Amino acid sequence: MNLIEIKKVYKVYKSGKLKTTVLNNINLDIKKGEILVILGPSGSGKTTMLNVISGLDKITKGTIKYNGKVISKYRDAKMTKFRKKNLGFIFQTYNLLEHLNVYENVLVGASLGKTKADVDRIIDTVGLTKHKKKYMHELSGGEQQRVSIARALAKLPEVMFCDEPTGALDEKTGKVVLESLVEANEKIGTTMIIVTHNPGIALIGDRIIKMNSGKIVEEIINEKRTNPKDIPWG
């Protein structure tokens, strides 16, 4: 079942008389419950792709549907409400609340959701149960990233958008973070869309979309996902 349908999507930036096409005739269906990895070098359009699919940025032309509804025509207020209700986000920067402990940070995420989440279960899913009373300054970078994942998951979003979620982490820590994402997909059923420049990370997905110069240049289906701890790094 297709959760998201992207048809003939273009994104063009204008600066005076100069036009730059960042997304060029993108066509893509995203299935409910899959892990989709968008892979490409810097400047390939992959982050712009994530931004338009999630409604953080508007498309220039084309159609984006979510559960059959054309969200690409939503006005700003309606799109903001849609994102709050349905989507979660994980970025390289954690944006955690320093004066709250792990449990309280995740509870903030849960308060944004339409359904009451089991905060303890979500903290356990990302492997932080023994740290749930700790404050942010007591955690490593990887542990803080897992708190940000748990906080995003606590909304019980249908789709999680992850923009270079391990970009600032070393290999060992990055793989633990990826394990948390895969576990959330398997246990909670969250659809994951992960943007990365790291080809090793792509192996954890059900599908890999390779981008270059604003176009999808290749689509690869993984018959069997690779366990995060077994992927090559870099």
Side-chain angles (χ1 to χ4, degrees):
M1 176 185 168
N2 291 330
L3 178 63
I4 301 171
E5 297 175 16
I6 302 152
K7 304 295 182 191
K8 298 181 179 178
V9 161
Y10 291 79
K11 178 64 182 178
V12 180
Y13 289 107
K14 296 179 182 179
S15 179
K17 293 183 179 180
L18 182 66
K19 291 183 179 180
T20 305
T21 301
V22 186
L23 296 179
N24 190 348
N25 194 25
I26 299 293
N27 293 279
L28 178 66
D29 294 331
I30 299 170
K31 297 177 179 65
K32 184 178 176 64
E34 78 172 322
I35 296 179
L36 177 75
V37 179
I38 302 173
L39 180 67
S42 179
S44 62
K46 61 187 188 297
T47 296
T48 303
M49 177 94 137
L50 180 144
N51 289 343
V52 300
I53 299 172
S54 63
L56 289 173
D57 200 356
K58 291 184 179 295
I59 61 175
T60 304
K61 189 166 65 172
T63 305
I64 299 175
K65 291 183 179 179
Y66 182 98
N67 273 331
K69 295 179 180 178
V70 181
I71 65 167
S72 49
K73 290 186 177 179
Y74 285 1
R75 294 181 181 275
D76 289 347
K78 189 173 183 180
M79 181 57 79
T80 299
K81 188 176 180 182
F82 168 81
R83 281 198 305 270
K84 182 179 177 182
K85 184 178 179 183
N86 297 286
L87 311 180
F89 295 88
I90 300 165
F91 302 103
Q92 281 190 48
T93 50
Y94 313 135
N95 298 318
L96 298 168
L97 300 171
E98 297 289 334
H99 64 288
L100 301 180
N101 63 27
V102 170
Y103 184 90
E104 291 163 341
N105 263 282
V106 179
L107 195 61
V108 169
S111 70
L112 299 174
K114 56 186 175 181
T115 308
K116 186 173 173 61
D118 185 337
V119 173
D120 285 311
R121 178 187 172 216
I122 289 168
I123 290 172
D124 185 60
T125 297
V126 300
L128 289 174
T129 297
K130 66 182 180 182
H131 298 301
K132 70 180 183 179
K133 295 300 181 186
K134 289 185 178 178
Y135 289 84
M136 298 310 102
H137 69 273
E138 299 176 280
L139 302 176
S140 68
E143 287 164 348
Q144 288 184 45
Q145 181 64 304
R146 281 188 279 158
V147 176
S148 75
I149 291 170
R151 185 182 60 184
L153 285 171
K155 266 179 66 176
L156 298 178
E158 195 158 19
V159 187
M160 183 77 79
F161 292 90
C162 312
D163 190 4
E164 299 281 8
T166 62
L169 305 175
D170 59 57
E171 178 178 351
K172 182 180 178 182
T173 308
K175 287 181 175 182
V176 172
V177 166
L178 293 175
E179 284 175 354
S180 297
L181 292 175
V182 171
E183 195 159 344
N185 170 262
E186 292 173 348
K187 288 187 175 181
I188 304 172
T190 309
T191 302
M192 295 279 176
I193 300 175
I194 303 172
V195 163
T196 183
H197 67 278
N198 185 336
I201 291 174
L203 300 176
I204 73 170
D206 297 296
R207 275 194 303 156
I208 304 161
I209 301 298
K210 291 187 176 181
M211 293 192 69
N212 209 339
S213 301
K215 294 182 177 181
I216 294 174
V217 295
E218 188 177 3
E219 178 179 342
I220 301 167
I221 296 173
N222 274 344
E223 298 297 337
K224 189 173 186 291
R225 294 179 187 171
T226 302
N227 188 304
K229 68 172 182 281
D230 296 326
I231 64 173
W233 196 260

